[in-house]
Every structure is written in C-alpha cells, then in structure tokens.
C-alpha cells in the first residue's frame, strides 16, 4: 500500500506525518507527486487517509519502475503495482505476516518475524511450523517462557477450518467470500481445492 510522507500536521489531537494512499490506482488518477498540497482526514478518528489534491505542484508524476525492496521490475495490474521477484524480502515478510494475522498466531510481531528471517530460521510459511523452543531462544530478549508461549500459539493453529487456512495463504483474488463459495460448491477438502485448475 503506497504511503505519503507529509509535513507533520495535527488532526483530532494527533500529529500526522504519514497518510495511506489506498492503492497505486489512487496515486495514478490524482498524479500524486512530491510537493502536492493534499486534503486528509482521520478515518474513524484513527487512520489518516488521503481525500484529494488541493494544489498540485510543478513536479512531474513518475511511476516507480523498480521494487524499493529488491530493485526488481514492477508491473502494473489493475489498481496495483506488483514486484515479479518471488524471493523479494518485502514480499516474503508481507506474505508471512498476512498468514500470521489471518490464522491467529498471537505474540509473533513484525519485529520478531524479521529477526527469524534474518537468522535464517524462517523463509516461508511452513518454516513457522518447524520452529523449536531452542530456535526462538537464539533471538534477542526471548526467554524460555516467551519461546514456549510462541510455540504453543503456532501449534494451536494446526487444526483450523479449510476456509481460514485457504484465506490466510493470501492467494491473489482469494478473498474469504470467494474461498467460501468454492468450498461450498464441492471443494470441501484441501486435496480437492489443490486440484482446481483455471
């Protein structure tokens, strides 16, 4: 998700310096660029969001051509920009974080995950389920109690519904409601789901 860095501005008692731009389609339609004056709100008094361009700067709109994480080529598809590199560090972290959040692995923060990746203990979703207490004890400020808690939290997600598992994988176009329709139309097992062809 593209984010605008703005001159710190106070809204509803909070100092805002970063604003979500929703997707690349919004950025492109409004030709957002450095120096633009924009109107923002705090959605639900929490999340800062872009509304419109109030005054456009004279700078040129330039769409990014390369991934800021791995420098691979970016492709535009519908309203999004995609990095084509399957081994892109940011993509790997995002995919695993999405899984962690959707599947309900508590206590495993972004920072902790980054440590696991840097330590080469995790490079994919299945690696989470190979972790042992002794692996976690190698991380900064992780004691036996926390390690045990994390392993218990991970193991607690081994038995979940097919719907939760499939939607947690972050399959492109695989929103929960779409996955639910597929499962309800006769693909009620992982084997049947994996056999689906386009």
């Amino acid at each position: 998700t593209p984010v605008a860095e703005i001159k710190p501005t106070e809204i509803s008692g909070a100092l805002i310096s970063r604003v979500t731009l929703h997707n690349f389609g919004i950025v492109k339609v409004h030709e957002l660029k450095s120096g633009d004056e924009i109107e923002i709100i705090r959605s639900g008094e929490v999340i800062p969001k872009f509304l419109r361009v109030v005054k456009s700067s004279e700078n040129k709109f330039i769409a990014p051509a390369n991934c800021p994480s791995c420098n691979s080529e970016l492709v535009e598809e519908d309203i999004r920009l995609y990095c084509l590199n399957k081994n892109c560090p940011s993509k790997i972290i995002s995919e695993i974080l999405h899984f962690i959040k959707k599947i309900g692995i508590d206590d495993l923060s972004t920072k902790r995950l980054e440590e696991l990746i840097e330590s080469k203990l995790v490079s994919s979703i299945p690696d989470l389920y190979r972790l042992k207490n002794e692996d976690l004890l190698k991380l900064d400020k992780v004691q036996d109690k926390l390690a045990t808690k994390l392993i218990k939290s991970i193991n607690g997600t081994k038995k979940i519904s097919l719907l939760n598992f499939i939607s947690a994988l972050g399959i492109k176009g695989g929103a929960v409601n779409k996955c639910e329709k597929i499962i309800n139309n006769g693909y009620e097992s992982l084997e049947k789901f994996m056999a689906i062809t386009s």
Side-chain angles (χ1 to χ4, degrees):
T1 303
V3 174
E5 292 185 0
I6 65 168
K7 180 181 175 182
T9 306
E10 190 174 324
I11 301 179
S12 307
L15 196 62
I16 309 298
S17 59
R18 290 167 62 85
V19 179
T20 180
L21 297 175
H22 311 288
N23 56 61
F24 179 68
I26 296 288
V27 176
K28 191 175 180 181
V29 166
H30 293 276
E31 293 191 349
L32 287 166
K33 52 205 173 297
S34 178
D36 284 353
E37 187 177 316
I38 62 173
E39 182 180 355
I40 62 172
I41 59 165
R42 280 184 77 200
S43 180
E45 297 298 308
V46 180
I47 303 166
K49 288 187 178 179
F50 163 80
L51 284 182
R52 67 187 180 96
V53 175
V54 175
K55 186 179 178 183
S56 186
S57 77
E58 293 181 4
N59 294 319
K60 283 191 173 184
F61 168 74
I62 302 170
N66 300 94
C67 172
S69 177
C70 68
N71 205 39
S72 296
E73 181 188 358
L74 293 175
V75 293
E76 187 180 341
E77 193 175 303
D78 194 20
I79 59 170
R80 307 198 183 281
L81 286 176
Y82 289 98
C83 172
L84 297 175
N85 179 10
K86 288 183 179 180
N87 298 314
C88 173
S90 288
K91 274 177 74 172
I92 291 167
I93 288 175
S94 294
E95 286 166 5
I96 300 172
L97 274 176
H98 174 83
F99 181 82
I100 287 168
K101 184 179 175 183
K102 291 286 183 182
I103 214 82
I105 298 175
D106 300 322
D107 308 305
L108 190 50
S109 65
T110 304
K111 186 184 174 190
R112 199 73 69 204
L113 176 61
E114 285 172 351
E115 281 184 78
L116 286 165
I117 290 170
E118 283 168 21
S119 304
K120 308 233 184 293
L121 291 167
V122 171
S123 61
S124 65
I125 291 167
D127 289 339
L128 293 171
Y129 296 92
R130 297 184 186 106
L131 289 171
K132 296 181 177 65
N133 274 46
E134 52 266 32
D135 296 325
L136 295 172
L137 291 171
K138 295 174 187 173
L139 303 180
D140 185 40
K141 296 177 183 174
V142 174
Q143 302 297 321
D144 194 53
K145 188 177 178 182
L146 178 57
T148 302
K149 189 177 179 184
L150 281 167
I151 294 295
K152 186 179 178 182
S153 183
I154 292 167
N155 288 338
T157 64
K158 285 182 176 179
K159 290 184 178 180
I160 56 160
S161 72
L162 179 62
L163 177 60
N164 285 350
F165 175 69
I166 298 297
S167 59
L169 292 176
I171 299 167
K172 193 173 169 185
V176 175
N177 60 336
K178 288 183 182 176
C179 291
E180 192 170 25
K181 282 180 185 176
I182 293 168
I183 290 167
N184 291 339
N185 277 282
Y187 297 92
E188 70 287 343
S189 71
L190 186 57
E191 291 74 21
K192 287 181 180 179
F193 206 97
M194 289 175 70
I196 295 172
T197 56
S198 56

